[in-house]
Every structure is written in C-alpha cells, then in structure tokens.
Amino acid sequence: MADHKHSAKQNSGHAFVRAEDAPLLPPPATEAGLTGWLWQNIFASMADFSSAGASLRSACVAALTVFLLYFGFAQIYTLLDFGVFSAVWSDPDELKREACWTVDQGGGLPSGWHAACWPFIYAKHKFIMYGAYPSEELWRVNLSVLLGIAGLAYVLIERLPRRREVGAMMLTLYPLLCFILLTGGNLAIPFGSIGLWLIIGLAVISLGRLAKRGFLGSTLSEFHALIGLTGWAFVIYNTVRGFGAVDFGLEPIDTRDWGGLLITLVVAVTGIVVSLPLGIILALGRRSEMPAARLICTVFIEFWRGVPLITVLFMASVMLPLFLPEGVNFDNLLRALIGVMLFSAAYMAEVIRGGLQAIDKGQYEGAQAMGLSYWQSMRLIILPQALTHVIPGIVNTFIGLFKDTTLVSIVGIFDLLGAGQSAIADAAWSTPVQATTMYLYIAIIFFVFCFGMSRYSIYMENKLSKSRQH
Amino acid sequence: MSFSAFFYDKRLRSVLFQALLVLSIAFGFFWLIENTVSNLSDQGKSVGFSFLSQTAGFQISSTLGTWLMKYEVGRSTYLDVYFIGIINTFVVAVLGILAAAFLGFAIGIMRLSHNLVIRGFATVYVEMLRNIPLLLQLFFWYFAVLRSLPSRREQTELFSGIAGINITGLYLPAPIAQSGFMIVILVFIMAIIGAVMLSKWATKRQYKTGRTFPAFWAGLGLIVGTPLVAFLALGSPLDWSFPEFKYTGPLLRRGFQSGTGMVIVPELIAVWLALSLYTAAFIAEIVRAGILAVAKGQTEASYSLGLRPGITLRLIVIPQALRVIIPPLTSQFLNLTKNSSLAVAIAYPELVSIFAGTALNQVGKEIEMIAMMMTVYLTFSLLTAAFMNWFNARVKLVER
C-alpha cells in the first residue's frame, strides 16, 4: 500500500493527481445495518410511487402490512394470554371445575375470564397419554417409547457406526419387542407346533445347503436358493410366534385398555413399518413388465388411494368380521391397524414409484449388463438410489399418516384426540374453556411431532440436492 | 431342452409367476366371498339392494340436500338418503375448493413477498395449519368456536339485522324466485356463451391483424351487465325472505322462526372452515413451488422484449407456473373432497355420516352400503385422474 502511494506520487508529479486513495464511504443506508435490513425486508416493497399503478400497489402493500402486523400480533397475544398469562396453572384446593369458574358461574375468577385451565390437563394427563393402561404397568409403555426414541436417534445421527444394522433391528426386532411389552405376549400358541415347524424349517434349510453342493442331483441344485428361502421363512415366522408364545411373566393387557398418545404412536409406527416394505413391493409390481402383476398392483393402489381413510376404517370395522371365517375375531384396534396399513401402503407405493421413475434408464441397463438378476439389481442398484431420492416424500407420507391416525377416534378407538374428546365430556371438569384447553394441548403435541418431521425432511432434501449437484 | 434351461426361460417364468399370482388372488377372493356368504347366512341376512326403496325413519338436519330431495321422515326412501348424502358432500366440497383455492393462492403469493411481515405471516400460517391434524381443527371450530355462540333463544345480529347467527346456525335472507326469474338466468347463461365467443373472436383477430381488443372487460361487462338489465327490465323478479327473530313471546317460541330466511347449519360452517383453511396451507406451498419453478430468465427475457410486469406475469410466468401447479392442485382438491368425510365426526349430514352411519345402523346392509359409498368417492377420484391425464398430455412440454 505504502509502496503504491509512493510510486503514484513519483510518477505523476502533478498536484491535481490524487496522491492518496479516496476515503471509503459508508454503504448506503438502504444496504447495511438496521435501516438497510428494515428497508430491504419491509419498506422497499411499498416505496414505489413511479406511476399510478405502482403507487396503488405500494399503498395496498402498506395497508396489508399494517393489517397483518396488527392481526398477527393480536392472534399471538390471544394465544399467549389464553395459554400462559391468564391461564389457571394450579388447583391447590382440589376444586376441580370450580377452579376454572368465573364469578358468574360461581367460581372465583373475574367475569369475562377466558383462558386455559391447565389443572384439567394435569388431572387427565395419564388418560390422554396412556388411556386406561394399568398405572403399575406404565413402565412397559415408557420402556417401549424410550427404546424407540433411542433407536431412532441412533439411526438419524450420522457418523455413528452400524446405523444400517440398528435400522434393520428397529424395523424387525423392535416391533416384536413392543408387541410383547405392550400386550404382555403369552399368546395361546402350543409350543409343540412351533417346535415342530422350527425343526421342519431347519431341515429345509439344510436340504437347501445339500442341494447347493449338488448332493441331490442337478435338478434340485437349481432350486437351492428357493429351498433355502422357504426354510428361512419357516424359521423366522415360527421364531416370531415362539417369542409371542413365551410367558415372560408380564400381565396381559387388553388393547381396549390402551389409549391416548400410546394408541396414536402404535397406529402410526405400525403403519410406517408395514407400509414401507409393502409399498416397495407394490411400486415394483406397478412398474413390472408382467401385465397381470402390473394390473393387480395398479388396481390395489388406485382403489385405496381413491377412497377416504374414514371409509377404509368403517370398512375394516364393519366388513372385516364378515370377510373372515367364523370364530376368527380381531379386536377393534387390530381391525383399524389393518385398514391403516393397506391405506398407507398404497400411498407409500406411489411415492416410491416416483423414485423408481426418477432413476436413469442407464442404471437399469447397467445392472443388467453386469449380469445381475432382477432382484439383485433392485436390491443392490435401483432401490438404494430410488429410496434415497424420495426420503423427503417418504417423511411427508409419514407426517400425513401421523395426522391421519386421529381418524381412528371416529371408529371408537381412544387415540390421543379420542381420549381428549372423552376427557372433555367429564362433568367434574365442566367449564366453558375445557374443550379449547384440551385442543390446544393436543395441537401442541401434534405440532411438535409433525413440525420436527417436516424439518428433518427439509434437511434431507437440502442434503440430497447438494449431493446430486456433483 | 434340459429342465434348468426350461426353468430359466424368462418368458416362461414370467407366465408361470403371473398365473400363480392370479390364481392366488382369485383364491383369496373366493375365500373371502365364501366366508362372507356363510357369515351372512348365519346372521340370516341376504344380499340385495331392495332396501333402497324402503322408507327412512330418521331426521336429517335441513341442508341443501334435504331441500333438493324434499326429504320427509317416513316418506323418503334410503335411495333419497343416499342422494342427500352425495349432494351434501358435493356442497361442502365445492364451497371448500373455492375458498381453499382463493386463500391458498393468496397465501402462496404472500410467501414469496419481499416484505418480511407478509412473508412471515404466510409462513406461520402454513406451518401451523398443516402440522395440526384436520380432525382436531374441525373439533376446534365446531366444539370450541361455534358451540360458544349465543343459545337458540338469542342471536348475534349481522349486517344490521338482515342476517343473524346463533348456536343453531347462520340465518341469511333466502332468495325467492318470482315468475320471470328464469329469463334472467337464461340471459345470464347466454351472456357467458357470448363472452366466450367474444374472447375467441378477439384472439383470432389479434392473430390476423395484430390489433388487440379488451375482451376481458367487454366480456365482464356482458356477463354482469346484460342479466342486470334484464333483471331490472322485468321489474326485479326476485323476492327476499328475511330471517325473523322473536325476542319476546312465549319462551319456546323465541328465536329464529322456522320458514323464514335460509339457515346454514353450524356443522357445515365448521367443516367448510376447517377444510378450506387446512387445504389452503397445502395449496399455498404448491403455488409457491410452482412460481419458483419458473426460471428467472423467463421474466428477464420478457422484460427485455419490452413487456410490462403485469403482462409478463399474465402471459409468461403464470402459464408456465400453472403447468407445475395444476396436477398437485387437482390432487389437493381431491383430498379436500375425500377429507369432507371427516364431517361424520360432527354429524354434518354428508354421505359417510348419514348413509354409512345412520342408515347403515338402521338397515344393517354393510356390504351393499359401504360399496355404494365407496363407489361415489372412487368415481370422483377416477374422474379427477382422467382430467389430470388429459391436462398433462395437453400442457406437456413439446421438446425438439
């Protein structure tokens, strides 16, 4: 810098040539600092008066801004006042409904008071979280939920080793564990039959091994994979049944006693866990080259997507008992679960189909050129790319499913909303504000879940679009 | 041909697999039908649609459906109930689609504003509304808001007494057509046809000669003006029946008098509010994404051709944005229609509520009635899908 100044002086030798750099001017007020921020984010949009039309537009924007500021803050204030400032937070004298009564109604609060009655929520908290689940057995629910959160967190945090294996466990072992914990397991399945089928399965697996080595002739050796797979299917199915039949000493709890957030989570998690594999199979079927498979999958998907979930739940609760042989009777929750599974699988299939369609044709051809079979190319080449591609869509489907679980309350299952509705009907807490308080509380719970998931989906979307740019 | 070559023949394997698949599905269906038949015969029920001509013995709250079908307890049949359900579903779907589209477009454009207040408001709206279950919002509007309105013997006056609202609904003046009103409607329809033809002619002339014609304003004038002239010329053949409210008199007679004005039941208001506010949040996101999908170069190129911002928006940006917007928008409309079935939770008399709910409990024909109900939604879905395919084919980018 000093060098430069020196040389400039030397070279010119004229007094009118500037010898020093002009001082830096501050940036214009509209570009920097608080005023710049205010100008760019608020006032620039209403400062164009260059023509009659532009002036009108600016005036409208200004009016809208003022109105929205007022309206927005009024709403926020109303919400905060209802939920926090004016709310009744405690009920030390166990007055129940009278704690939230105004003078006109015979209570102690000023006339015209209208705000949340939180003691009502404390009193009903166990009910809207767990339903009628026995209090001394709540640790089973809590343990299931904690394990689920821990597993989910492990899978979501990148850089942790063996995420894939943990994820697989979450989709297979975890539901089984939850089933045993929540219902108590101890199903009435005779161990003899399970043992018999297990032995048969193991025998079939060893048969497959033998066939692979060519001990059983060339014809059967072609089928070793099929034989092995059948054997594994027997073994896995009966292991699951075996775990269900073991008496772990847990008290059996009927699903009629379940309720609240527990049911919401059970329905949502079941729908999510089942809809993914089922959706993958349906999506592959719909894009298959076999016309019969394509037709069947298309009809299945379009049927479930064409009708509202409510009608599916009605159908599951009214018609399913007619479809099943006599003596087979599902409980109410299982019926609703079946409806939710079929419904969400159809939606998931369409999301996954979008991912399959987005994969370049060269990938399919490349996989074929490598000599991979259909299932190998799907498992190793196509599906990993397609599923990664549609993670945001899958998460959005989960959000939709999570919100849709509220509909089971219409067919008489006390999910979070259903439990809330029945808590509102309690006359011991009858006040004009109890419905609004309950809805506010449930809305906050749903918002936290859904907003969290949608943030994750946006995060994945950004990450994926970055990785695709290379 | 050895057995293994036979087994690895691709075509044969595919035929074999499909045959197995079809057989197993057919077997599954056969199994279901057999179970159903035996279960039904155990319960002493028969399958058939003869119940549709039986008379229905339950009250349905007065809505457009009951008015159109002239519903009367003990005289109307279950088929009438079916149609009332369809009409009421249709009413709430149409009202909801109109409101949701309007609000959704407004919020979607607001989300792109450079003004932080406007943008922030729209963002908060979208994030709040779409992350809370629709059923909860419906309950909120119905049980928390509309249930706290004045009781049936009191009212809140609206528009200085022309209309009023209380817990039994919103009471509005009812139009009563006099003789000659049909002519006005006829004139109105002809004006619409005329406006369409006018705009076609204007486009054609512009292509030929380059001269423009204010077809929009002329058409608007035609549609609004001609029926108005006809209406006035015929001596205003429309009467209004105002809702009558009695504050005095015997206690049980106080309130809105039946037979005066027109009532909109609170269930309809709640469903309409919940559906349109909820769906608007989704439409706003679709609109935002659609407008952002139009490359900036398009706007810049349009400006450099000398087109004004308004014309750029109308002729360059919106047509291209609509290509992206319309398919998901249609599926949101379809979702709204399907979601109208949630009205069963607050007993608005739509299809699921009165046909698959009340009527099903009385008749007990589960299979027939649920199938009839699903047919309605499926038909609507398939029609929408057909429209979407047609639209996609029409607006598909023609690439070189």
Side-chain angles (χ1 to χ4, degrees), chain A residues 37 40-42 45-46 61 64-65 68-69 71-72 79 219 222-223 289-293 296 302-312 314-315 318-319 321-326 347 368 399 402-404 406-407 409-410 417 421 435-436 439 442-443 446-447 450-451 454-455 458, chain B residues 3-4 7-8 10 13-14 17-18 21-22 25 31-32 35-36 38-40 42-43 110 113-119 121 127-128 130-136 139-140 143-144 278 282 334-335 338-339 341-342 344-345 352 356-357 360 366-367 370-371 373-374 377-378 381-382 385:
Chain A
W37 184 86
Q40 280 170 9
N41 283 301
I42 296 178
S45 55
M46 47 176 120
V61 170
L64 185 65
T65 306
L68 287 183
L69 261 184
F71 183 75
L79 191 67
T219 313
E222 301 285 354
F223 291 102
E289 281 165 6
M290 294 183 253
I296 289 169
E302 291 305 325
F303 177 76
W304 295 112
R305 275 164 45 91
V307 293
L309 180 55
I310 273 293
T311 62
V312 176
F314 263 62
M315 188 169 136
V318 176
M319 275 162 84
L322 286 178
F323 285 157
L324 294 171
E326 241 176 301
Y347 276 81
Q368 277 186 339
I399 298 176
F402 191 74
K403 285 185 294 178
D404 278 348
T406 50
L407 303 202
S409 66
I410 296 178
L417 187 54
Q421 277 291 88
T436 317
Y439 295 149
I442 297 175
F446 271 105
F447 183 82
C450 297
F451 189 70
S454 81
R455 287 300 103 173
I458 289 170
Chain B
F3 184 80
S4 67
F7 179 70
Y8 278 112
K10 210 178 158 194
R13 261 168 71 147
S14 130
F17 176 75
Q18 293 186 61
L21 187 68
V22 170
I25 299 258
W31 184 73
L32 288 182
N35 285 336
T36 314
S38 83
N39 281 330
L40 283 179
D42 282 355
Q43 293 176 12
M110 278 161 71
S113 168
H114 294 296
N115 185 318
L116 184 73
V117 174
I118 297 178
R119 192 172 64 224
F121 179 85
E127 292 298 348
M128 282 232 327
R130 69 173 185 170
N131 283 322
I132 295 174
L134 176 59
L135 190 62
L136 180 56
F139 281 169
F140 171 76
F143 292 114
Y278 180 77
F282 289 88
L334 186 60
N335 275 350
K338 287 192 286 179
N339 281 338
S341 59
L342 292 195
V344 64
V352 179
L360 178 62
E366 294 93 354
I367 295 173
I370 299 238
M373 170 185 73
M374 284 192 158
Y377 290 106
L378 271 181
S381 299
L382 292 179

Side-chain angles (χ1 to χ4, degrees), chain B residues 211-231:
Chain B
R211 279 186 296 159
T212 55
F213 181 80
F216 177 75
W217 295 109
L220 193 68
L222 204 63
I223 291 174
V224 176
T226 3
L228 201 67
V229 170
F231 183 74

Side-chain angles (χ1 to χ4, degrees), chain A residues 235-253:
Chain A
V235 169
I236 292 170
Y237 176 64
N238 283 291
T239 314
V240 170
R241 287 212 314 167
F243 272 112
V246 174
D247 185 359
F248 289 97
L250 295 169
E251 188 194 330
I253 293 166

